[in-house]
Amino acid sequence: MNLNATLLGQSIAFAVFVIFCMKYIWPPLMSAIEDRQAKIADGLASAERATKDLELAQAAATDQLKDAKAQAASIVDMANKRKAQIVDEAKTAAITERDKIIASGYVEVEAERNRAKEELRQKVAVLAIAGAEKILERSIDQAVANDIVEKLVGEL
Amino acid sequence: MSASEHGEALTPGSYIGHHLQNWTVGDTSTFWHVNADSLLFSVGLGLVFILLFWSVARKATSGVPGKLQCFIEIIVEFVDDTVKDTFHGKSSLVAPLALTIFVWIILMNTMDLIPVDWLPQAANMAAGSDVYLRVVPTTDPNIALAMSFSVFFLMIFYSIKIKGIGGFVKELTMQPFNHWVFIPVNLVMELVSLIAKPVSLGLRLFGNMYAGEMIFMLIALVGVGQLPLHFMWAVFHIMVVILQAFIFMMLTIVYLSMAHEDH
């Protein structure tokens, strides 16, 4: 084994390299690695948070959907009720109207009938007078006969 | 490996010997010479590591990273996790130290996977003469031991910094037998275990890589049949390359963690 001054040269080179590595290589590399680790940790944490947020949002959306459905159902229900009410009201109104029309019809018919009766009565009176005139032409005084006929007509 | 490129007659022994010879600069009779090839490749690969990681670190974004930044971050996070699991003190040095050791040693070990003759042959052509070149820095005990002794220096430094001189001396003398009579025995045992740490750390890396390199050279001597053998050994060696880098890093962290522990 031939030991010589190479020992010293190598030791010096070793020291220089180690010091250089310690000053200019290790710190920037380590800080880059540690910064990135922190960033990744942050990223993972925020991703987890986002997942949780998403779950919450989904739950909220489901709730809202349920609410909206319930509301829609109640609105439809109310509309149905209102429709039935309106139909009922309309029916009632129509029945009232019908009754009124029928009643007025009856009144009209009654009036017509009375008028016709009156007319008939007068015509019968005229006929009766004419008949009586013909019968009594020869015997009876005109004035007395008229008086009797008037009385008869008034009795009809 | 054909013999014709080398001047003298090539025997297996001289082929391997040639490959195990460093390109040295300086007076080889004293301590004061260096293995220029080892230093060149180790510093070059260290620069590859530093510049690659620096270029990524400068532009590092905490947003969506590019593919290169992802790759670098995987390595950094792996080292950081390992350090956090093993090292319980507070230190801004240990993690970058572990990263430097891990990547740098992987790069140096990976030089083993380049076919053993390519770079030496290229060097021969470039120099125009027969030169020595060892391309795997970690097969040079100087490199491996320099790193392990640097770690050893840090162990001593942090032991004294955390526990104080008294605490460190007490750790060496009052364990495992807590009585003044046993101080010499304790001292011998603790010193042996203390010294054994950097030596075993450096020699483990060196030994593994040296053996792997040696087997590549032996395979290169086989001739035409070497290709499948090369492939098989290289596949196996990929594991050794990464495993040895990991073990070196892990033990560095453990040793520094022990140095930070206050009894």
Side-chain angles (χ1 to χ4, degrees):
Chain A
M1 223 156 60
N2 176 17
L3 290 181
N4 55 40
T6 313
L7 273 173
L8 301 178
Q10 174 72 5
S11 298
I12 291 163
F14 186 41
V16 169
F17 287 146
V18 168
I19 289 166
F20 189 91
C21 178
M22 196 170 91
K23 287 251 187 291
Y24 299 108
I25 293 175
W26 191 264
L29 280 176
M30 255 355 248
S31 76
I33 290 172
E34 275 158 11
D35 282 359
R36 189 169 329 110
Q37 278 173 338
K39 267 189 203 171
I40 290 171
D42 280 1
L44 287 178
S46 67
E48 209 161 304
R49 230 177 303 128
T51 315
K52 231 170 254 171
D53 282 358
L54 181 67
E55 265 167 34
L56 286 178
Q58 268 170 345
T62 315
D63 279 0
Q64 268 173 354
L65 203 64
K66 224 183 273 173
D67 278 2
K69 267 181 191 163
Q71 223 166 355
S74 83
I75 287 171
V76 167
D77 222 27
M78 258 157 61
N80 277 336
K81 264 185 210 155
R82 180 94 187 103
K83 182 191 78 181
Q85 203 182 339
I86 287 171
V87 167
D88 274 357
E89 275 170 14
K91 222 186 253 173
T92 322
I95 287 168
T96 322
E97 190 71 11
R98 186 195 63 182
D99 288 354
K100 219 189 278 172
I101 288 169
I102 288 172
S104 77
Y106 273 128
V107 170
E108 220 165 288
V109 166
E110 191 69 21
E112 195 72 18
R113 203 183 59 173
N114 285 346
R115 204 160 43 83
K117 222 194 239 168
E118 190 69 23
E119 213 170 294
L120 196 61
R121 194 197 285 153
Q122 272 165 7
K123 279 194 179 147
V124 168
V126 171
L127 265 180
I129 289 166
E133 257 176 10
K134 288 227 168 104
I135 297 165
L136 300 173
E137 222 164 39
R138 298 155 213 167
S139 59
I140 303 164
D141 183 15
Q142 189 80 35
V144 178
N146 263 0
D147 197 38
I148 294 166
V149 171
E150 280 294 318
K151 264 180 196 160
L152 280 171
V153 169
E155 272 163 32
L156 268 170
Chain B
M1 176 61 211
S2 67
S4 56
E5 285 89 347
H6 294 273
E8 69 272 20
L10 195 65
T11 63
S14 73
Y15 171 72
I16 288 178
H18 188 278
H19 272 283
L20 293 180
Q21 194 75 40
N22 280 107
W23 165 31
T24 53
V25 172
D27 184 2
T28 48
S29 59
T30 66
F31 176 78
W32 298 106
H33 64 280
V34 295
N35 298 338
D37 45 4
S38 296
L39 266 187
L40 196 73
F41 282 110
S42 102
V43 171
L45 292 168
L47 284 176
V48 167
F49 155 66
I50 284 288
L51 293 178
L52 177 68
F53 276 59
W54 189 41
S55 71
V56 171
R58 264 189 320 176
K59 291 178 287 181
T61 165
S62 62
V64 179
K67 291 194 175 67
L68 182 62
Q69 194 187 334
C70 268
F71 173 67
I72 300 294
E73 278 181 6
I74 288 169
I75 299 172
V76 169
E77 282 210 293
F78 166 69
V79 172
D80 191 47
D81 286 346
T82 312
V83 170
K84 274 185 185 147
D85 285 345
T86 314
F87 181 79
H88 300 300
K90 265 189 187 163
S91 170
S92 58
L93 172 75
V94 174
L97 174 75
L99 177 69
T100 309
I101 287 175
F102 186 57
V103 180
W104 197 14
I105 291 183
I106 281 186
L107 287 175
M108 290 197 283
N109 289 355
T110 306
M111 295 299 285
D112 228 354
L113 297 176
I114 298 173
V116 285
D117 279 312
W118 282 13
L119 293 176
Q121 207 58 254
N124 279 351
M125 286 177 190
S129 64
D130 200 22
V131 293
Y132 296 115
L133 191 75
R134 289 181 73 184
V135 297
V136 192
T138 40
T139 58
D140 184 344
N142 288 296
I143 298 293
L145 287 174
M147 295 184 79
S148 67
F149 277 104
S150 301
V151 171
F152 181 60
F153 167 77
L154 285 175
M155 281 163 63
I156 303 288
F157 174 77
Y158 278 113
S159 285
I160 291 171
K161 191 183 164 197
I162 303 289
K163 300 161 199 161
I165 285 276
F168 183 50
V169 170
K170 212 168 140 194
E171 199 176 75
L172 290 180
T173 51
M174 291 309 201
Q175 283 182 338
F177 306 113
N178 195 1
H179 192 276
W180 62 268
V181 175
F182 288 109
I183 283 178
V185 180
N186 288 342
L187 191 62
V188 168
M189 286 171 72
E190 285 295 312
L191 275 181
V192 166
S193 85
L194 187 68
I195 302 295
K197 280 173 189 170
V199 173
S200 69
L201 183 64
L203 287 184
R204 176 184 301 109
L205 176 64
F206 158 69
N208 274 283
M209 298 322 291
Y210 187 81
E213 176 81 342
M214 190 71 89
I215 288 175
F216 273 122
M217 286 173 203
L218 291 173
I219 288 171
L221 286 170
V222 168
V224 185
Q226 66 178 276
L227 277 178
L229 291 173
H230 255 311
F231 176 75
M232 285 190 299
W233 180 241
V235 168
F236 177 72
H237 203 62
I238 289 171
M239 195 185 77
V240 178
V241 160
I242 291 165
L243 193 64
Q244 286 307 316
F246 178 72
I247 289 171
F248 200 107
M249 174 187 80
M250 199 67 205
L251 286 175
T252 301
I253 299 168
V254 169
Y255 290 160
L256 286 179
S257 173
M258 284 160 73
H260 277 75
E261 266 167 26
D262 207 346
H263 296 291

